[in-house]
Amino acid sequence: MIVLASLAIALPFCAAFAGMLLGPRLSRLLGARPLPAAESGTGSGTPDAPTTPLPVVRPETGPVPGGGPRAAEMGRLVTADFALRGLPRNGPALIAVVPTAVATVLALVVALTLWRDPGVRGGTLTLVPTGSVDIAIGLQVDGLAALVGLMVCLVALAVQVYSVAYMAKDPRYSSYAAFVSLFTAAMLLVVYAGDLLLLYVGWEVMGVCSYFLIGHHWEERANSRAAVKAFLVTRLGDVGFLLGIFVLGIGAGTFSIGGVLDAVPQLPAGTLTAATLLLLAGVAGKSAQFPLHTWLPDAMAGPTPISALIHAATMVAAGIYVIARLYPAFLAAPGTLTVLGIVAVISMLGSALAALAQDDLKRVLAYSTISQLAYMAAGLAVGAQTAAIFHLVAHGAFKALLFLAAGSVIFVAGSNLLGHYGGLRRAMPVTFWSMTVGYAALVGLPPVSGFFSKDAIIEGARHTAALAGHREPGAGEQGHAALGAAAEVPPPVPDIPAGAAWLIYIGLLVTVGVTAAYATRAWLMTFFGEQRTSFEAREAPALMTWTVAALAVPAALLGFFGLGAAELRPHLVSAGVSLLWAAGGIAVAHLLWNRDPALDPADRLGPVRKVFDRAFYVDEVYAALVVRPVRAVARAVVATDRHGIDALVVGTAGWSRRAGGALRRVQTGNAQAYLTGLLAGVIVIAAGVVILL
């Protein structure tokens, strides 16, 4: 078992280095024909160019509004049609796809084995002595790790296959695919790690990979700045995360995850609260939760498949996974869970409102990711751990589907902007129906996966909120008895304040309505009405379209796998209330759109739209409170260095030069002058002696 998990990590890890070093060379060995420079449209006829497709030359133009692909890059549409044919000779693609596929099979075997024989399997390769608490280089696989590991591999495989066509004309595809493989290996290391410090290694490697992938098109300044922003903001949270690991590990006397969880009952409450709050800082950074969420919408500057990978299976999912992995520690720190719940409410509702006003389809989905991750965080805050993980897996399926389908639309339309689409349901039927399934899961409509997972979280929140008012001595049993059907939900119930529990429950319901509104708006503006701009409407290339269609299957059916657990089955009250909120959101969005399908329904928000569009000006607040003061200090340091320290050094050199110049006049090399000086000195000395003596 541990060997299989190790291989699942090692395969994409080795593929990353092999792809970086040998990808183009393998293409040549396989007989691939590099694209001529004149035909490539990128000015690159280097061996790094992807392999055999036959490109079409189109006029070069500038970037389209909204950060979409360059119009000239629409030659990729035809090029990508040949990506499937050229796949057997595409070295970078083979190195990326085949190891990921094998890793997926291994992860599936691990998951099936644990499903048939549940338990915890662990193995340690070696212990690294540190002088105090040793570091164990080993893995630990349980049901949670096996499920999330399988999800990571499946999404990564879909992204790699999709990218073969999407990035077919990109001259840096080889490095792109290699970093995707490394990203996948790092996330698998986080998932399967048996030691907190080993987990942290994978955590940090993901941050580095995200920097390179978000800034893949670094030629444009906005992209490189987005990459730097993502790197710096997540590093800020990672400082707290590392300190939290140290506090927890030193307190428990081990960094082993199993050892830490075993030691939780003996740890002081203050230590647990401090450690979990510090860990929460890292989770907020990686999972883009308030107040460290601002990097995620800007990260849409990266290629769309990378957005799918980051949003569905890696990076942002890591934060939620870590809380679930260390959940007994969080459960013993109710103060931390209360903070987590309040942060989740702010994140889920604020991001949903921001998504409602975005023009850019990818930014709609980005804010949607923040909101859905907050849903999972809220579930963990109210004790619905299983439901939160269930939603993490369902979200991985339908968010990967939505991003890759959005990539198909952007690829065809040449724009990210919703206002440039319209009427695509007939020209792109596979993408339309797939994206319909994805939006339905995002809203939580039956019978797709999101309905089951969201209902389980909402029911958990209702259960905890109702019990919170009966938490006096003996209240647990009374609360269970009073709740009737809710008593089916098993303990533990976190000891968070009743006000916080009710706030979370109400926040979840309101967010369902807002989510339904922005999802309906994006769906209608993309696929209904008249086409608003001129482009050749057709399905994306086969590799992209069928990958999207394949992801629609788990997005639709995953929910039924939860029927075996009582807490994951639909609950009449929660499901009914949730569907009423969803119906309200859908009705309002449709009503506003139906008045004039050529207009954006969000325009009806009036002056509030600007506030939502700017995401409540959080970036501007950070710019005023952090960026500008730091820049002012930096300018002061530069001025002090230039006019103080540098001026002193330069001035000293000038003084030395002038003194040397004066002395140089004495050292003329003229023997007569030296003799004259010598005689003059003798005379002065003699005169002095005569006068003084």
Side-chain angles (χ1 to χ4, degrees), residues 26 30 206 252 277 325 442 451 455 483 503 517 519 522 664 692:
L26 180 60
L30 294 172
M206 276 198 299
L277 281 174
R325 189 78 155 147
L442 174 64
F451 167 72
D455 172 71
L483 286 172
L503 179 67
R664 190 180 60 187
L692 296 176

Side-chain angles (χ1 to χ4, degrees), residues 226-534:
V228 171
K229 183 178 181 181
F231 188 79
L232 292 180
V233 173
T234 54
R235 292 290 76 71
L236 187 64
D238 290 351
V239 173
F241 190 78
L242 182 58
L243 292 175
I245 287 176
F246 284 140
V247 172
L248 203 56
I250 293 172
T254 176
F255 288 112
S256 160
I257 292 176
V260 166
L261 296 183
D262 290 341
V264 164
Q266 289 78 44
L267 288 176
T271 301
L272 278 174
T273 302
T276 49
L277 281 174
L278 287 167
L279 290 173
L280 196 56
V283 170
K286 272 290 189 290
S287 291
Q289 295 297 287
F290 179 82
L292 301 179
H293 64 287
T294 57
W295 66 270
L296 193 61
D298 290 353
M300 295 302 98
T304 304
I306 290 308
S307 303
L309 187 65
I310 291 177
H311 289 243
T314 63
M315 192 87 169
V316 298
I320 300 299
Y321 172 78
V322 165
I323 296 180
R325 189 78 155 147
L326 300 172
Y327 197 59
F330 281 85
L331 204 57
T336 303
L337 286 182
T338 304
V339 173
L340 177 64
I342 293 171
V343 167
V345 171
I346 296 172
S347 300
M348 77 171 79
L349 193 52
S351 299
L353 291 172
L356 194 59
Q358 300 300 312
D359 289 324
D360 187 321
L361 177 58
K362 286 178 68 177
R363 289 181 73 86
V364 171
L365 297 178
Y367 281 111
S368 156
T369 297
I370 299 172
S371 183
Q372 296 304 305
L373 289 166
Y375 240 88
M376 302 165 207
L380 292 167
V382 297
Q385 183 199 11
T386 306
I389 294 302
F390 192 34
H391 194 52
L392 177 69
V393 176
H395 178 262
F398 71 71
K399 189 51 65 71
L401 161 64
L402 286 173
F403 262 110
L404 295 185
S408 297
V409 172
I410 293 168
F411 197 87
V412 170
S415 171
N416 290 15
L417 300 182
L418 286 167
H420 291 175
Y421 305 152
L424 294 178
R425 69 184 185 282
R426 294 190 181 88
M428 305 181 72
V430 177
T431 305
F432 167 65
W433 285 110
S434 300
M435 216 162 179
T436 300
V437 170
Y439 278 131
L442 174 64
V443 176
L445 299 180
V448 294
S449 58
F451 167 72
F452 296 91
S453 57
K454 281 191 167 186
D455 172 71
I457 290 176
I458 292 172
E459 173 60 22
R462 188 184 76 87
H463 177 74
T464 300
L467 278 183
H470 303 80
R471 199 168 286 126
E472 295 304 323
E477 295 179 3
Q478 294 171 10
H480 279 282
L483 286 172
E488 295 178 4
V489 180
V493 176
D495 189 18
I496 62 175
W502 281 109
L503 179 67
I504 294 169
Y505 178 58
I506 294 170
L508 288 168
L509 291 177
V510 175
T511 304
V512 168
V514 182
T515 302
Y518 74 68
T520 304
R521 167 181 171 258
W523 184 65
L524 291 171
M525 291 187 69
T526 303
F527 294 108
F528 292 86
E530 298 297 326
Q531 187 172 319
R532 298 180 184 86
T533 54
S534 177

